[in-house]
Amino acid sequence: MAADMDASSVLDVRNLAVSFRTDRGEVPAVHDVSFTVKPGETLALVGESGSGKSVTSLAVMRLTPPAPQASLTGSILFRGRDGQVRDLATLAEHEMQAMRGNEISMIFQEPMTSLNPVHRIGDQIAEAVRYHRKVDRQAALDRAEELLVLVGIPEPRKRLKSYPHHLSGGMRQRVMIAMALACDPSVLIADEPTTALDVTVQAQILELLKELQERTGMAVVFITHNLGVVAEIADRVMVMYAGRIVERGGVVPLLKHPLMPYTHGLLRSVPRLELAAFGQAKLEAIRGNVPDPTRMPQGCSFHPRCDHAELGRCDRTIPILEEAEADHLVRCHRWRAIASVEA
Amino acid sequence: MMVKAVDYLEEDPVLTVVKQPRSANRAWQRFRRHRLAMFGVFMIVLLVLATAVGPHLIPFDDLFIDIRNRFAPPLSGAHVLGTDPLGRDLAARLLMAGRISLTVGFAAMVISTIIGTVIGVVAGFYGRIVGTILMRFVDAILCFPTIFLVLALAALIKPSVVTITLIIAATGWMEVARVVESQIRTLRERDFATAALMMGASDRYIMFRELIPNAIGPIVVAATLCIARAILMEAYVSFLGYGIQPPAASWGNMLNNAQQYLGSAPWLAIFPGLMITLAVTSFNFIGDGLRDALDARLDVS
Amino acid sequence: MTIAMDDQHGPILDVQKLSKTYSVGGGLFGRSRQSVRAIDDVSFQIRRGEVLGLVGESGSGKSTLGRTVLQLTEPTSGSVLFNGVDLTRLNRRQLKPLRPKMQLIFQDPFASLNPRMTVGRILGAPFQIQKLRLSRAERDERVVAALGAVGLTEHHLDRYPHEFSGGQRQRIGIARSLVMEPEFLVADEPVSALDVSIQAQIVNLLLEIKRKLDLTILFITHDLAVVGHISDRVAVMYLGRIVELADTRAVFSAPRHPYTEALFSAIPTLDPTVKRNRILLKGDIPSPLDPPSGCAFRTRCRYALPACAEAVPPLREVGQGHLSACIREDLNLAAPLAA
């Protein structure tokens, strides 16, 4: 079953669906998500709150709560260092533990919560190294120092002895990246790693990630809500809305000529430096609110906010994700009509 | 240019609000699922009803001395639970004692909750010097063995239901104060407190109108556990003879009287002991259930 | 106390040499107490009906400045003249009648509304606090008007905050600041916690309200693009001081401080085909506990000279109403807009 994975990709997610059990019944968070990532490639997962982008990334790491609190279906094919393809969705927990932080790593938005405040930085990185590799303490500490150099932390030897609270937000994120890279993973999942940082520090971290990717050839799945960051870092983009992929494609076609009205609206609602309207002109906002997961609209989940919605169609059936151009998929009943008029 | 599309607006999405159950409802649902807590509620309701109505249904007064039926064992003749060394009906005495114990427990809880809340709010809201002084005062009282404090006070003051209640309340408010202080300390940093300040609200308004309602959950939990403690304390003090004075009955002084007949008339000790255990554990179960049900973290979907 | 001033033309807010110093550390173990200058000698004015954008990264002191202006935090020195009245000299009781005229909009729409109160009570609280002698009908009218101004209706009055989405809560927060019919608003990162598609709605809403009600706004944010959209003038803060202050157009087309240039450069553009020469700032904002001597930015500035370490450069006029605190006048800084 796992053998038919595309030889050029390292991660191949197929029909992933996740739902959570709550007081108010079964709440689906992610439906029918499929994507592939190639080595050296950055796939950006874009979406707002409730879009399912974070749940998707957690599911790939198998970090969603175990059944029965959450259910996970579909397959997550991953090509290991040994060339063998495994389905992470069905892997036993102890096998998954051997993968996590080793062949597939993750960094989070708030590094402070992922670092243990009572242990030195050096020990924490060394611990991450020793968890997966049988090396002695000194070798692990040497590796930790090497990693700190790699992520551009000044005075790495001194920093090994620092505690997380001695470091600034940007430095902590660098330490998290160092830990994630400890075992040279082939896939790095970055969940909003720059959202909590200042723009000048964000620019540094993005630059660092690009540089590291060039050097190691790892694939990056970058989760963000910031389209500017997407333009900066991504090769391909996947836009999610209300738990579904609504558009997927290369970064240039997707940001330059979006097909899904949601992507289009999102792009227009971002204030831009070069279009700064000192006259205080209105931004083109998308009306309405992000839908509540327990009360999804019928049909296309974006239709209540969409200017192009067609009564009787968009509010009835969920559109399929169809290929509009080569490697450019869109989930919209009316993309042809919209595209022809805009052209 | 915009494509001409059917203007589809079933409802203005800006205005749409998803009706959500009140958090109080969800808390109640969680509470109902807590079996031990529901057992506690059942027992307490039963106890309250029994002590309120029961004495009228039993043919004997709690002070009536049936001299011919001294030491009657349970289920022997007219006295269902037997009689004590003076021939007084044990069931009637247990229920009358229950009235006193529950009343003392409840009244002490109300008083200590009020004292604890006020001190906790003031300490938590002002923090710094005021807060430090108040909370160190609380710590100091907590360091002191409560039972000595109660006994010392009881020895100085003429015991009566009112004074016992006051003494128990005076030694039982610290837990509430600590709970409230820690709640208020975090709540006062929340933006809605600043918003009230921006409106020109007084400290008193912010403390009692804005902050306290958000600390109700933990206060209720602490108060429930406070009743359990007060009942236990009253039994303790009465057992040692400084509490409710005979001939009035209290579970504690009934236990005291039963001491010398443990071998010959064990029911004299078993029944009041059972009542104390039942009442105290019931309140503790309710407290646990409330704590779980009111845990605000569970409200985050 | 009131200084006579022409209300129509004078600034509504005149901040003079405002400083706020916190002392940290110390305590039981005999460590020496250190002082942190959260805001350091800040002066600016806001004209009536103007939107002044206040930009800075975390630790720049922008939020502290907003709160100190509103007297939620007591300044260490300096004055804040609001309609000619020095707020720093008033005690809480004297401030109370002025409160309705100046309001604060918060960043976090989840923390700023009391979860135990209905929307109706939240919006009615200001009347209760201010003990205004209004009839019930007048009061309801003002509450409904404020709700209407933010796009909500009276049907929402008996709902609790948790029933609303983030964007809707932010609307309620804005409505609360409007019920007392203020003249001046401090908006502290009002859109930072919101989803992208909702941010634009709230920015539009603020602009609309500002126009309708003739409000003056101090708009605090870390996002220069939002500032470019909403502000008439921009003040850029770094480590407690204003380093540049000018008309938005001037800042966007010809910035005069290297920090402003670097901030612009750090913002990612939406165009994936444009590869810019990015100015990457090294390191983080220095610790305010131990600020660099002279110009605080010199440690990260690529134009720094030895002279920059000598004295704190004053904020001086470098063009028509354009203030900058940089000693170098020879710089030709990159800008997102052509002049």
Side-chain angles (χ1 to χ4, degrees), chain A residues 186-331:
Chain A
S186 34
V187 175
L188 175 71
I189 297 179
D191 189 355
E192 305 248 13
T194 60
T195 305
L197 304 175
D198 285 317
V199 273
T200 56
V201 181
Q202 166 172 288
Q204 295 168 3
I205 298 290
L206 293 180
E207 209 58 45
L208 172 69
L209 282 173
K210 277 194 273 189
E211 196 187 302
L212 289 172
Q213 188 178 26
E214 245 161 61
R215 205 183 298 188
T216 61
M218 64 183 171
V220 176
V221 179
F222 197 103
I223 292 109
T224 183
H225 67 275
N226 186 330
L227 291 167
V229 170
V230 171
E232 191 90 356
I233 198 162
D235 300 307
R236 291 196 305 134
V237 187
M238 183 162 109
V239 183
M240 292 187 72
Y241 187 79
R244 284 193 169 81
I245 301 177
V246 293
E247 186 160 6
R248 199 180 84 194
V251 65
V252 177
L254 195 135
L255 291 186
K256 286 262 177 179
H257 309 286
L259 295 173
M260 168 77 189
Y262 173 64
T263 318
H264 200 212
L266 213 52
L267 277 164
R268 278 183 307 181
S269 60
V270 180
R272 303 184 194 193
L273 282 179
E274 61 277 14
L275 300 178
F278 318 112
Q280 303 171 348
K282 273 192 144 187
L283 284 169
E284 292 188 60
I286 305 178
R287 65 191 145 100
N289 296 299
V290 178
D292 185 287
T294 57
R295 197 170 162 275
M296 279 296 167
Q298 278 253 310
C300 170
S301 42
F302 185 61
H303 86 266
R305 304 177 68 190
C306 183
D307 286 330
H308 303 283
E310 183 184 323
L311 198 64
R313 188 163 170 216
C314 296
D315 58 336
R316 295 276 164 77
T317 52
I318 300 174
I320 55 157
L321 191 64
E322 56 182 314
E323 189 146 20
E325 296 150 25
D327 194 34
H328 193 161
L329 284 76
V330 60
R331 188 191 294 278

Side-chain angles (χ1 to χ4, degrees), chain C residues 229-251:
Chain C
H229 213 85
I230 201 168
S231 314
D232 300 303
R233 286 192 304 148
V234 178
V236 181
M237 276 188 93
Y238 189 78
L239 222 59
R241 300 180 73 97
I242 291 180
V243 295
E244 181 156 12
L245 198 165
D247 279 354
T248 309
R249 191 179 293 273
V251 172

Side-chain angles (χ1 to χ4, degrees), chain B residues 15-16 199 203 209 214, chain C residues 92 114 128 130 151 159 168:
Chain B
L15 302 181
T16 312
M199 302 293 170
D203 288 350
R209 299 288 192 84
N214 285 284
Chain C
R92 202 159 152 192
N114 192 331
Q128 209 179 346
Q130 287 288 336
R159 299 299 186 82
Q168 290 172 322

